[in-house]
Each structure stands twice: as structure tokens, then as C-alpha cells.
Amino acid sequence: AQSVTQLGSHVSVSEGALVLLRCNYSSSVPPYLFWYVQYPNQGLQLLLKYTSAATLVKGINGFEAEFKKSETSFHLTKPSAHMSDAAEYFCAVSDQTGANNLFFGTGTRLTVIP
Amino acid sequence: DTGVSQDPRHKITKRGQNVTFRCDPISEHNRLYWYRQTLGQGPEFLTYFQNEAQLEKSRLLSDRFSAERPKGSFSTLEIQRTEQGDSAMYLCASSLDWVTDTQYFGPGTRLTVL
């Protein structure tokens, strides 16, 4: 069965500081992993995805994530936080069956302090 | 490409009433998904269509819930005899065919059951 765990429901960083959002996964097959961002009262927007190609994945808005099989992790990072990065971030793993539905973590709310 | 659209964006109803939501996927996307998101949680998979065929349903989808996708285009999700526990954000997503294809989410329909 597939699942993800996001450590830290709330993360606060200063503007310009490093952003690190943690995600650990559990999967019975080689995983496909995703990070989505959700702004208030909006749907989810894909930041980046890992589908068994390069382990370091670059996404939109300067975010990147590294797939580490030995640690079963897929942490999201950004070198320098902007005020516009304040949002809810969700890590997800797909089940790669016919439906390919996504299993989401509980989310991490990122606050950027000016 | 106008993205995934959902209607209505907000719905307030009284317990026991029936409600219906609509989702218009990105054109030419064969896969369509419904998810439910409650406060403080990540989205949870409800059901999945491949063209007009409903191929998978979650245990979360009680017999009060029904979804359709006539002609493989837009989809509707109906909840009969609504309960307060049905209050949530209902998200629709669509994608192409491969398991690696990105699921694009709509803005969601927020349901409040009084």
C-alpha cells in the first residue's frame, strides 16, 4: 500500500531563508512522487514530480526535490523563500494501478515572515 | 486550454437535501478523478473515470454518492440525503492516459451542510 508522511504541519521561515518541507513515503512498488501547492480557496497546482528518471527534480517557482530511496524520502526545498510562497504544500504518491489515484499527506502550511 | 473547471464553487445546503456538482476536465483528457478534502487534511480519492467508464470507487463513496461521466466529457457528482459529515471541499482532476501523466486539479466545490 502507498502512503506519505509529512513531518511538520506548520513551518515558518524568514523571507530569503531556506525552505525545507519533509516528506517520507511508503510504497510497495517503485514510487511516483509529487509535490502540489494549494493557495487559499484554490485547487492544487503541481510543483514537481518524480517518475523514476533523475533523482533530483526541479519544479516551478524555484522549488526542487530529491528522491532518496535509502531514506524513503522526497523532501522539498527552495534556497530563498519569497512572501508569495506562503501556502499549503502536499506530498503525494501514486498507486500506479489502473486508476493511478494519488495518496496525499496531511499537508504542511508554510508561513513566510517578512 | 482553460484548465479544469468546477461548478458551483460554493454550496450551502440543509441536511437531507440532495446536491449535484459538475466538473469540466481539460479537453482530450481521458481520465477524470474526484477527491474529497476535509479541513486540515490532504485530498482523499473518491472515484475515477476512464472516458465514460467508472472504473474504481473508494470505500469513502457511500451509496448516497453517485458519479457519472456521460459521453466521456464533463462529470457530475451527486450526494443524496446530505449529512453534516459530507461538508468538505470536493476536487476534480483530469489527466491524459499514462500513469506518469500529471493530474490537473480544478478549484473545487466547497460544500457546507447545515
Side-chain angles (χ1 to χ4, degrees):
Chain A
Q2 279 68 25
S3 67
V4 296
T5 300
Q6 292 184 242
L7 297 176
S9 58
H10 292 85
V11 171
S12 293
V13 300
S14 298
E15 190 175 15
L18 171 72
V19 176
L20 170 60
L21 305 182
R22 300 178 186 274
C23 173
N24 288 88
Y25 69 89
S26 173
S27 178
S28 56
V29 297
Y32 293 162
L33 295 158
F34 306 80
W35 276 100
Y36 281 85
V37 61
Q38 187 176 36
Y39 297 99
N41 299 315
Q42 294 188 26
L44 285 81
Q45 179 183 9
L46 181 72
L47 283 175
L48 48 81
K49 65 181 180 182
Y50 167 78
T51 56
S52 74
T55 57
L56 182 62
V57 182
K58 294 187 182 297
I60 63 172
N61 302 337
F63 285 93
E64 63 181 36
E66 185 172 8
F67 172 70
K68 292 187 176 180
K69 182 178 179 180
S70 61
E71 299 177 7
T72 62
S73 69
F74 190 58
H75 301 330
L76 181 71
T77 61
K78 182 175 180 177
S80 176
H82 294 169
M83 296 298 295
S84 61
D85 294 327
E88 187 97 22
Y89 291 80
F90 292 94
C91 181
V93 61
S94 71
D95 69 357
Q96 299 183 52
T97 64
N100 193 41
N101 48 290
L102 297 174
F103 294 86
F104 285 87
T106 53
T108 297
R109 180 167 298 280
L110 176 66
T111 300
V112 182
I113 303 167
Chain B
D1 181 354
T2 57
V4 179
S5 61
Q6 294 186 244
D7 183 69
R9 294 292 305 276
H10 303 275
K11 179 70 177 179
I12 300 174
T13 190
K14 293 182 179 179
R15 187 175 53 188
Q17 298 294 306
N18 299 344
V19 294
T20 300
F21 311 140
R22 177 180 170 122
C23 170
D24 287 89
I26 295 171
S27 60
E28 300 181 353
H29 276 193
N30 295 325
R31 294 171 175 247
L32 187 146
Y33 303 80
W34 285 98
Y35 291 84
R36 181 172 70 185
Q37 184 179 19
T38 54
L39 200 62
Q41 300 297 316
E44 295 174 292
F45 169 76
L46 290 179
T47 190
Y48 152 69
F49 290 84
Q50 176 80 30
N51 298 310
E52 67 275 9
Q54 187 175 19
L55 297 184
E56 187 166 324
K57 293 191 287 187
S58 162
R59 291 171 299 175
L60 295 174
L61 211 67
S62 75
D63 56 8
R64 296 185 297 106
F65 288 69
S66 63
E68 294 182 342
R69 192 182 182 195
K71 304 179 183 178
S73 56
F74 71 92
S75 176
T76 58
L77 178 67
E78 180 183 16
I79 309 175
Q80 296 182 327
R81 304 181 303 281
T82 53
E83 301 173 355
Q84 289 187 327
D86 297 331
S87 295
M89 175 79 86
Y90 290 84
L91 295 165
C92 176
S94 70
S95 73
L96 291 169
D97 282 326
W98 284 107
V99 293
T100 56
D101 288 327
T102 298
Q103 291 186 30
Y104 294 90
F105 283 80
T109 295
R110 182 168 296 283
L111 172 66
T112 301
V113 181
L114 302 177

